Structures are given as C-alpha cells and as structure tokens.
Amino acid sequence: MTIRLGDTAPDFVQLSTEGEIRFHDWLGNSWGVLFSHPADFTPVCTTELGTTAKLKAEFEIRNVKVLALSVDPLEKHLRWIDDINDTQNTTVNFPILADADRKVAELYDMIHPNASATLTVRSLFVIDPQKKIRLIITYPASTGRNFAEILRVIDSLQLTDNEKVATPANWQPGDHVVIIPSLQDEAELAARFPQGYDAVRPYLRLTQLN
Ligand code: BEZ
C-alpha cells in the first residue's frame, strides 16, 4: 500500500512486546512514531532501539508515543530486548511489534523487494493526533537513523501547526523562522509578529519567535 503525507495512518491490530496493540486506540491523542527494523539481533537495530529508549523523556515532552516493528516473532523480540538492555545500558521502554506475519510491514510498505525480499527497510512514519501521516523517512538497512533529526522534524511540525511560519534549512528550535508566503494581510502580520520581521525578499521574511 502506498502511503503519502496527509493520508490517514492505516489502523491495525498486532501483537507486541507490551501486549496486543490496537494502533489508533493505542495512539489516543498522542503523536506517534512507527519505525521498522530489518531484523532482531542485528547490530545497527540494536543501537537504534537503545538510542530510542534513552530518548524517552524527549519523546514524552513532545507528547509522542514510539512503536517499533520487526518481522520476527514475540519470543525472539523478548530475548533481543535483554540483549539491547545489556549492550546499550538502557531499558527498552516502548513496545516492539511482533510482525512475523508481515501484516503491518505490508500495510505500511516497509518491505522493498529490490532492497531485500524478506527484511524491512528502515521506514519511519510520524503520525499526528488526528492520525495523519506527517513525515515519512526511509533509510537503508546499512544506515542507522539520526534520532536528533527525527526530534527536530517533530519540533518543526508542532511549531508550524500552531504558527503561520515554516522552518528554514537546518533550523533548530530557537532559530529564526520564515513567515508563510500566503500571509500577506498587514494587520494580521502585525498582530502575529509584533516583534517585526526582516523581508529579505517579498517571499522570504524572517522572524524570531520567543
Ligand atoms: C543491522 O541492523 O545491523 C543490519 C540489518 C540488516 C542489514 C545490515 C545491518
């Protein structure tokens, strides 16, 4: 199934290391990150899941629930979690879907046959509280994800949902932002940006939020 930005995240019921997950119910009013791992007991995945566990507080302050997936059975996941905890000096604190039947992997098009016929690639979806897909990133199996970038995009999504701004290249929280081009009304500009803005070009207006 092809999934695009703005689509409703497909719902599913699947077993996980924390019991059965009814995805939409499980998300509730939270944001979500759903991300796939090629296989259990693989080195890069082990570091990714350890890193994710250590970022628990960062996800929580952004109201994000994290759900991992690998196309291996539950019993294997449970043994792997022991290894992740041992080797990464952490405690896995989020569920891992036991997707041995590939139900969710196929629903989210996580298996790219020309990369591998059996394993998932490193797919990652950010889902908003309305259950809409807001970010899709696909990495190859050989490259571990940059979790600082994932948090950065979530920060940008949450900011730009609430303000009439967009975030420029390499933006980090606290940096200047750009005013969206469709906002042209002078009274609204003054009300929204009393601090003013720098019109480098009519279409490129920079401002600093608090
Ligand atoms: C890994 O997670 O380490 C990995 C998985 C599949 C292929 C290569 C690396």
Side-chain angles (χ1 to χ4, degrees):
M1 176 170 172
T2 304
I3 297 179
R4 295 184 174 154
L5 298 187
D7 291 353
T8 298
D11 199 11
F12 57 81
V13 180
Q14 184 62 296
L15 198 58
S16 85
T17 53
E18 296 186 6
E20 184 181 87
I21 301 260
R22 295 182 170 270
F23 189 47
H24 282 195
D25 291 347
W26 178 83
L27 283 168
N29 294 321
S30 299
W31 288 70
V33 171
L34 172 65
F35 62 140
S36 60
H37 297 270
D40 292 3
F41 295 103
T42 49
V44 176
C45 299
T46 298
T47 63
E48 287 193 316
L49 293 187
T51 298
T52 304
K54 289 175 188 169
L55 289 172
K56 181 181 176 67
E58 295 296 329
F59 286 112
E60 275 182 358
I61 58 174
R62 293 166 175 84
N63 187 30
V64 178
K65 293 177 95 171
V66 173
L67 181 58
L69 174 153
S70 165
V71 289
D72 278 316
L74 181 63
E75 161 281 315
K76 196 169 177 185
H77 281 1
L78 295 173
R79 285 190 288 114
W80 185 32
I81 285 175
D82 286 343
D83 258 17
I84 297 167
N85 292 344
D86 268 4
T87 62
Q88 307 303 304
N89 299 313
T90 188
T91 301
V92 171
N93 44 36
F94 52 87
I96 306 175
L97 290 174
D99 199 44
D101 62 2
R102 302 184 185 187
K103 183 166 72 184
V104 179
E106 283 170 10
L107 194 59
Y108 278 79
D109 198 22
M110 292 166 164
I111 295 173
H112 296 194
N114 292 324
S116 167
T118 53
L119 306 179
T120 60
V121 291
R122 295 186 198 283
S123 296
L124 184 143
F125 299 87
V126 172
I127 298 153
D128 72 15
Q130 287 71 47
K131 315 285 185 287
K132 299 294 183 198
I133 301 280
R134 301 296 299 277
L135 175 72
I136 303 170
I137 319 182
T138 308
Y139 287 71
S142 52
T143 305
R145 281 162 277 218
N146 182 333
F147 287 84
E149 169 63 0
I150 292 156
L151 291 171
R152 189 190 77 92
V153 181
I154 292 169
D155 284 337
S156 172
L157 288 167
Q158 294 184 345
L159 174 68
T160 59
D161 277 0
N162 291 316
E163 307 275 354
K164 289 195 173 179
V165 299
T167 59
N170 294 335
W171 173 85
Q172 295 289 341
D175 288 353
H176 62 237
V177 296
V178 296
I179 299 172
I180 57 172
S182 59
L183 178 50
Q184 294 294 333
D185 180 76
E186 293 294 339
E188 187 176 354
L189 280 163
R192 287 185 175 274
F193 306 108
Q195 71 277 30
Y197 57 87
D198 177 19
V200 180
R201 289 286 185 278
Y203 62 84
L204 175 58
R205 299 168 298 176
L206 306 176
T207 192
Q208 188 77 47
L209 300 176
N210 301 332

